[in-house]
Amino acid sequence: MTAGLDLGRPQTQAIASDEDVVRVRQLVRTVAVAVKLSLVDQTKLVTAASELARNTLVYGGGGSVEVGLVDNGRRRGVRIVFADEGPGIADLDLALTDGYTTGGGLGLGLSGARRLVDEFDIETAVGRGTRVTVTKWSR
């Protein structure tokens, strides 16, 4: 077990500043190591989490993340849930298209994050916010 971290229950972190995005990356890395994800899978998961945390901050106006262990009986993994109460995503298909951006970036946030994880689910409604759930399983 990791010192100071109870992996028996999901860890919650607010996302309200750039420093919180860094904290999310550190938390995800710690849990990914504890689950014994490979270094490549750790890097993929931390990268996806960083993109999604930044989206939560920039587009959702801030929110929270919950990071926890999952176990399906055959293998363990990390499940991360990002939630905000921002404006929501008006055109989800467009937002998931490679190259689409409203922020002047590379447009790889949502679509890139989706490619880096094993499971990706997004719930959004205009005026009600967005909830993104991702899971990365050990190999």
Side-chain angles (χ1 to χ4, degrees), residues 4-114:
L5 195 62
D6 177 6
L7 294 176
R9 63 179 182 80
Q11 304 296 308
T12 302
Q13 165 73 49
I15 302 173
S17 68
D18 289 335
E19 291 79 16
D20 291 334
V21 173
V22 172
R23 283 191 266 284
V24 169
R25 290 175 60 93
Q26 293 167 337
L27 174 60
V28 169
R29 169 90 54 205
T30 298
V31 176
V33 167
V35 172
K36 298 186 177 14
L37 292 184
S38 70
L39 184 57
V40 169
D41 283 344
Q42 289 173 35
T43 302
K44 287 179 179 180
L45 186 61
V46 169
T47 301
S50 181
E51 288 290 331
L52 295 169
R54 182 143 308 282
N55 282 0
T56 300
L57 178 62
V58 173
Y59 301 110
S64 65
V65 64
E66 186 177 280
V67 182
L69 296 175
V70 287
D71 190 323
N72 68 3
R74 293 188 342 269
R75 55 190 177 161
R76 294 182 354 148
V78 181
R79 178 161 296 140
I80 311 171
V81 181
F82 295 87
D84 68 60
E85 295 179 5
I89 302 170
D91 187 338
L92 187 54
D93 288 337
L94 183 60
L96 287 168
T97 301
D98 283 350
Y100 175 76
T101 180
T102 58
L106 296 176
L108 297 176
L110 285 178
S111 62
R114 181 170 60 177

